[in-house]
Structure formats: C-alpha cells, structure tokens
C-alpha cells in the first residue's frame, strides 16, 4: 500500500515507454520532390544542412508528402542519393570526434534524368517537354522572387530546334536559370505548349 492507504501504482519504465508499447515506431518518411525518394526528417536535414537554415528545412519538410506504405524509400541512383543515405551517420560520427561539425557541401546540380523545375510554383498541369534539367541548381526554399524561363519546342525539328540540346532546353537556358537561382530567386524551366494556352496563363 502507498502512504495514503491506496494501492501503490506501478512505476513506468525509466526509458519513457509504457510496458505494453512494444517496439518503437519507425520514423516517418516523406517524399522529397527533388528526386521522388522517401527520407526521414533526419536524413533530409542532414542532406540540406549548410545549404539552408534549420527553420527553412523544417518548413520544406512540411511541404513534403508522406511516403505510402512502410517499406524503405528507393535508393537514389548517383552520388546525390548516396549523400542522403550516408549523411546522417557521418554527421553523428563527426559530432563525436569534433567539437564543431563542419557544414555539409552544397547540393550538386541536377544530374541526367533529374528535374528541378517542379517547384515552387506547381506546374504539374502542364506537359513536361524537356527530358531533364541537367546542370540546373537546386531551387531556393524561400526565393526572393519566383520566376520562370519559357521555351518553345519546334516539333518538326530534331531536339526541338537547332538552338536546343538533346534534352530539349536551349543551350543557354541552364546558365540563365543558375544565374537567377544564385541571386536568391527561383527559376523554373518550362515549355509553352499552345494546346494548353489557357492552363498556362
């Protein structure tokens, strides 16, 4: 009996879990629109650390859609995917070895097959003409201004015209876009399709 005369209640375990809670729940994973793969918040924060502030990363996490199912997210092909998968354990190891963790390297430009023009403005209703945004930098989470670089694809010409590279963009589109992004503005590369005129505007 307790000091009050009532039966004493059992103390909860010291680790903070109830005795019937079982195994701890797996951390939530959400889809990063940049590559379409699922990551935990810690993995996402470790990858973007040094590029964006903590509050900006938290705000970006809130815009990411939850991953469906309980399976692991796809392993992203290429160095950028490996960086996301390995960033968290490396960060922990460095935190133990060094008093101050070094800032993570800036995200690499878009690789072959990767798009960087899906945000911040939702353009999913428009037809995606270009194969990828090869070489385009990561769009800022909180751009000073939201801009777009509009291209025209000539359907009867190879690659969409003599001024186009094999992915459908003009040769100077990526440098123009990166110049805007480096100045703190977003720059989405979009093609005008005349059948979607009303949707476009």
């Amino acid at each position: 009996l307790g000091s009050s005369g009532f039966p004493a209640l059992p103390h909860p375990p010291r680790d903070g879990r109830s005795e019937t809670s079982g195994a701890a729940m797996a951390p939530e994973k959400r889809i990063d629109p940049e590559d379409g793969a699922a990551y935990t918040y810690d993995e996402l924060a470790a990858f973007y650390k040094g590029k964006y502030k903590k509050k900006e990363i938290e705000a970006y996490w809130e815009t990411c859609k939850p991953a469906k199912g309980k399976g692991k997210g796809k392993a992203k092909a290429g160095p950028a995917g490996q960086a996301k998968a390995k960033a968290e354990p490396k960060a922990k190891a460095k935190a133990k070895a060094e008093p101050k963790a070094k800032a993570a390297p800036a995200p690499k430009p878009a690789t072959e097959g990767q798009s960087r023009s899906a945000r911040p403005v939702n353009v999913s209703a428009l037809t995606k003409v270009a194969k990828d945004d090869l070489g385009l930098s990561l769009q800022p989470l909180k751009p000073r201004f939201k801009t777009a670089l509009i291209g025209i694809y000539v359907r009867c010409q190879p690659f969409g015209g003599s001024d186009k590279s094999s992915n459908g963009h003009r040769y100077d589109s990526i440098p123009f876009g990166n110049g805007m992004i480096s100045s703190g503005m977003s720059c989405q590369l979009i093609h005008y399709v005349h059948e979607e005129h009303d949707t476009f505007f």
Side-chain angles (χ1 to χ4, degrees), residues 41-52:
Y41 173 79
D42 288 340
E43 291 171 339
L44 199 73
F47 180 70
Y48 289 118
K49 183 179 179 182
K51 178 69 175 177
Y52 302 110

Side-chain angles (χ1 to χ4, degrees), residues 113-182:
Q114 187 177 21
S115 174
R116 287 278 171 83
S117 297
R119 66 176 188 85
V121 177
N122 184 1
V123 293
S124 59
L126 301 177
T127 300
K128 180 175 173 57
V129 177
K131 295 179 181 178
D132 55 42
D133 293 336
L134 179 63
L136 188 66
S137 299
L138 189 68
Q139 303 285 354
L141 290 176
K142 292 185 177 180
R144 294 168 55 198
F145 301 98
K146 298 175 183 178
T147 71
L149 184 60
I150 311 304
I152 301 294
Y153 190 90
V154 183
R155 302 176 190 179
C156 62
Q157 295 292 325
F159 305 127
S162 59
D163 59 341
K164 307 293 194 304
S165 63
S166 60
N167 63 358
H169 286 307
R170 279 174 53 109
Y171 292 107
D172 54 2
S173 292
I174 299 299
F176 277 138
N178 285 339
M180 305 287 275
I181 292 171
S182 65

Side-chain angles (χ1 to χ4, degrees), residues 83-105:
K84 281 192 181 181
K86 297 178 181 178
E88 185 180 6
K90 281 186 178 180
K92 289 183 178 179
K94 284 187 178 181
K96 292 181 180 179
E98 303 174 8
K100 293 182 180 180
K102 295 180 180 179

